[in-house]
Amino acid sequence: MTTRPPPRGGPKGRKPPAGKFQPYGERARTGPRTSARDAAERAARNRGDDAGARDPWTAAGTPHAVAAAAAAAAKPKPRPARDERKDAPPPRKAPPRPSVRPAAKAQPKSAEPRPEPSAPPAGQTRREQRAAASATLASGVQTLTVEPDEAGMRIDRFLTARFPLLPFTRVQSIVRKGELRVDGKRAKPNDRLEPGMSVRVPPLRLDQPTERPRSAAREQDDAEFIRSLILYEDADMMILNKPFGLAVQGGSGTVRHVDGLLAALTGPDGQKPRLVHRLDKDTAGCLIIAKTRLAAATLAKSFRSRAARKIYWALTAGVPRVRQGRVSTYLAKDEPTDADARMRVAKHGDEGASHALTYYAMVDQAAQKLSWLSFKPVTGRTHQLRAHAAHIGHPIVGDPKYFSVENWELPGGIQNRLHLLARRIVIPHPRTGRPVDVSAPLPPHMAQSWNLLGFDASRYDPIVEAPES
């Protein structure tokens, strides 16, 4: 039994004659046979535009002739004059074909009416358009540019100033998670900004302001309360005597705070007094407020360059053996995600650890049980004095976070409140450069303890002789 070889050639298994399909085998062009150009040429031949090219078996249909005709067809032909087109015989019309292409060509896309772009509302200025766009983008990604009067601001303070409705805890979370970019790089909360920097802000969930009208009587009460705390004031700055228990900034569950009360002192030009530094909620004493952005930037630079001198008073447990000393450690948060977490003494190189330096001096003591210590912090870390006092074995009385002395009882007549006072501050004036020296009085609970223990608040403070670095 013999078997037939497998078919070769075309789709029906037959090998085409050498001469019949030879022109297609030697095509000068590439691509599919049923291209748009082939279809156009076939249509032209059917209309009679090139009758000699209809028969592929004549001389005009040889491979060279086909290639030449294709090259000639590729060249653009000059458009005949109007008179010549009138004398030319009418072209032969091809029979209609059942196709949708002619109908589509009858109405090209360019003939369809296009909607005109909407113009901006009449009477709206460019600034109003930008403000409207900013309001629209309040829940999307934004790119902000640092202005000259914002130079030297911390990145978290920058966000708080730009977005007053954004809670400070949310600001810290944005920076901590790396969602913020400054010139394309991740930023830290204590990074400083320079004019012209680009700050990329992630989508924010802003608290919508309430529509209730503000009470004029309440604003007046807030303004009078803030003015009652002023220890020093001029056209550029003021120093407040912050009371015990009043927070400096808002947070979770904090409604009344210094930053919110300062809104009652907004001037006719819309300038609201600004915070320059912070104190713990239970720490009383000197708090510097800037009245302008330029003053805020200058005062902030004084703190960063350590040109500001601060002295704190505290009532501590026990009496230190060394009456005057120096505490140098590294501090890190126990819980990095908690803004008000307890600070612990860490080692150099630990994650989140920062160097902290404090000088201390004992001013007086009572019955070898309580000491009046004066502190001069060189650095400004969170809870630095409270953590350092506990580190040397003499925690501050009334400190709920760091006081851990066993079998220690609070003497009668002394309130269980944090006995820490920002007693004195000396800082160069933001405009003149001359030193501004201000001291705060003892808060009521510390004045009661000083009277009970027989401490004289006018006694010489040896901490002034401590080094500055």
Side-chain angles (χ1 to χ4, degrees), residues 45-74:
R45 289 195 298 270
N46 292 332
R47 290 193 302 267
D49 293 347
D50 192 1
R54 294 186 204 175
D55 189 2
W57 317 120
T58 59
T62 58
H64 299 285
V66 172

Side-chain angles (χ1 to χ4, degrees), residues 147-364:
E147 301 295 337
D149 57 355
E150 295 172 332
M153 291 183 65
R154 285 168 51 112
I155 186 64
D156 50 0
R157 307 282 184 243
F158 172 79
L159 289 182
T160 303
R162 287 294 188 98
F163 303 98
L165 300 179
L166 191 66
F168 189 70
T169 54
R170 173 60 178 156
V171 172
Q172 292 179 322
S173 175
I174 290 173
V175 180
R176 183 178 63 252
K177 293 180 180 179
E179 298 178 359
L180 198 73
R181 293 289 190 274
V182 178
D183 289 342
K185 300 179 181 178
R186 294 184 62 172
K188 298 180 180 179
N190 57 351
D191 286 352
R192 304 288 175 171
L193 297 176
E194 297 298 334
M197 284 186 171
S198 177
V199 181
R200 179 187 178 275
V201 183
L204 304 177
R205 294 183 297 273
L206 303 181
D207 298 336
Q208 296 298 328
T210 58
E211 297 298 333
R212 60 183 181 183
R214 301 187 64 179
S215 172
R218 183 172 181 179
E219 286 190 357
Q220 184 178 359
D221 292 342
D222 292 345
E224 292 179 356
F225 175 72
I226 287 293
R227 291 192 182 98
S228 68
L229 304 178
I230 294 177
L231 299 173
Y232 171 86
E233 184 181 14
D234 59 23
D236 301 296
M237 59 180 290
M238 59 183 175
I239 301 179
L240 304 180
N241 179 23
K242 190 191 82 66
F244 168 87
L246 179 62
V248 173
Q249 287 181 308
S252 178
T254 303
V255 178
R256 185 177 175 84
H257 48 83
V258 176
D259 193 26
L261 296 173
L262 290 175
L265 299 181
T266 302
D269 57 350
Q271 288 278 355
K272 172 192 169 184
R274 295 169 174 82
L275 297 170
V276 177
H277 64 122
R278 295 171 58 190
L279 292 176
D280 295 338
K281 179 180 179 180
D282 293 339
T283 301
C286 298
L287 180 67
I288 298 180
I289 307 296
K291 290 188 174 182
T292 63
R293 279 189 174 180
L294 180 60
T298 306
L299 292 170
K301 290 180 180 179
S302 298
F303 275 95
R304 290 198 308 273
S305 62
R306 300 177 183 175
R309 301 290 181 259
K310 297 173 289 183
I311 293 178
Y312 288 76
W313 282 0
L315 183 66
T316 64
V319 178
R321 294 181 180 180
V322 181
R323 297 178 64 91
Q324 298 181 14
R326 174 178 181 268
V327 185
S328 178
T329 65
Y330 285 85
L331 297 178
K333 288 185 178 180
D334 278 340
E335 296 293 337
T337 58
D338 187 2
D340 196 33
R342 185 180 186 275
M343 303 297 291
R344 60 178 176 82
V345 176
K347 296 180 180 180
H348 178 57
D350 290 354
E351 183 178 0
S354 301
H355 180 250
L357 177 61
T358 304
Y359 290 93
Y360 75 90
M362 188 180 72
V363 183
D364 203 350

Side-chain angles (χ1 to χ4, degrees), residues 428-440:
H429 192 273
R431 184 164 43 86
T432 64
R434 297 178 180 177
V436 177
D437 188 354
V438 178
S439 297

